[in-house]
Amino acid sequence: MQRTGQTIGATTYQKIKHDIVFGILPPGSKIKLDDLKARYETSLSTLRETLHRLASEGFVDAPEQRGFFVKPVSGVDLQEIADLRVLLECHALRQSILNGDTEWEGRVVAAHHKLHLMEQRLADGDDSQKETWKRYDWEFHQALISNCKSANLLSLHATLYEKYLRYQMLVLTNRGEVAANEHRAMLDRALTRDADGASEILKTHIDGGLEHTINAMP
């Protein structure tokens, strides 16, 4: 069975966004349509549609009559992204804890278990699965806020988190025990329904990651 145009477009979108977030398409680089056409095995019209969508989300720049470029990075942009993440994610976490139930608890505990095992591997010096580590990190944060009862909030947060992740992947270093302890503390506060305490730790966690990333940026 052949894929529909909609399926092809969605697949192309996910692949290109992944390659931007994970630095395979470097910040500020010009996007050459012919190269991408061969690389992603898709049509020029699908590529243009995808790149315009990514431009509307802030991953691509599309200056008039100049083609497409991967969005550049800067400390100012990262600071803004981190501030917005604090605003959205802390609110979503509070709502999720207030709405907390057994199913949500199970998701949070399971997500933290996977992340904790990966953090232990990193602590032992094994950094061979950095992308998996960041995926587990995302899954834990997403699980924490998954019960906020707002699809719009979750969608906005997902896009913002990917922008934040792009910066982390550029200078990917591990905050080690500090970050792992913050994750554990957020889990504990969530399970005891301490919304204020969990939100405070989350803000500290995001601020710490921001400082760590800015200090590692060239």
Side-chain angles (χ1 to χ4, degrees):
M1 179 185 296
Q2 291 185 335
R3 291 181 297 169
T4 65
Q6 184 177 4
T7 302
I8 293 171
T11 301
T12 302
Y13 166 80
Q14 291 296 340
K15 286 180 178 179
I16 295 177
K17 184 167 71 169
H18 171 278
D19 288 352
I20 290 173
V21 170
F22 286 90
I24 298 168
L25 295 174
S29 61
K30 183 173 177 58
I31 299 173
K32 299 177 180 178
L33 294 182
D34 288 338
D35 291 346
L36 264 62
K37 180 176 181 292
R39 179 173 185 167
Y40 300 110
E41 298 181 334
T42 191
S43 66
L44 288 175
S45 61
T46 297
L47 277 176
R48 290 192 181 93
E49 180 181 341
T50 297
L51 292 171
H52 279 299
R53 178 180 174 184
L54 289 167
S56 72
E57 295 176 354
F59 294 98
V60 167
D61 279 340
E64 191 71 25
Q65 303 300 319
R66 290 182 54 203
F68 298 96
F69 296 82
V70 177
K71 185 82 172 181
V73 296
S74 71
V76 172
D77 183 56
L78 176 57
Q79 179 71 63
E80 182 179 1
I81 291 169
D83 289 344
L84 287 170
R85 187 179 163 199
V86 168
L87 183 67
L88 292 179
E89 193 170 334
C90 286
H91 173 68
L93 178 59
R94 286 176 178 276
Q95 295 304 308
S96 196
I97 290 174
L98 291 174
N99 295 324
D101 55 22
T102 303
E103 293 295 326
W104 168 75
E105 283 187 4
R107 292 195 301 271
V108 172
V109 171
H112 180 266
H113 178 68
K114 291 165 62 179
L115 175 59
H116 178 63
L117 292 178
M118 187 59 68
E119 288 172 334
Q120 287 183 320
R121 293 182 64 170
L122 289 166
D124 292 338
D126 180 1
D127 61 355
S128 62
Q129 298 187 51
K130 290 181 176 179
E131 186 170 334
T132 301
W133 162 44
K134 296 313 298 181
R135 187 174 78 250
Y136 287 173
D137 184 81
W138 153 247
E139 288 176 359
F140 175 62
H141 282 270
Q142 196 276 334
L144 281 170
I145 67 172
S146 63
N147 218 35
C148 70
K149 307 297 186 185
S150 172
N152 287 322
L153 180 54
L154 290 174
S155 178
L156 287 170
H157 173 264
T159 298
L160 196 65
Y161 192 96
E162 286 174 321
K163 292 181 179 181
Y164 187 87
L165 175 59
R166 185 165 80 111
Y167 280 89
Q168 290 192 316
M169 295 306 299
L170 288 173
V171 294
L172 192 57
T173 54
N174 178 23
R175 289 200 296 136
E177 188 176 356
V178 172
N181 287 342
E182 289 166 352
H183 285 144
R184 180 69 208 189
M186 279 189 281
L187 172 68
D188 292 342
R189 299 299 191 282
L191 294 181
T192 58
R193 302 298 196 271
D194 181 0
D196 289 339
S199 297
E200 183 178 345
I201 294 167
L202 175 58
K203 183 180 185 306
T204 298
H205 181 71
I206 295 172
D207 289 343
L210 168 66
E211 181 180 2
H212 187 78
T213 302
I214 285 179
N215 289 339
M217 286 176 66

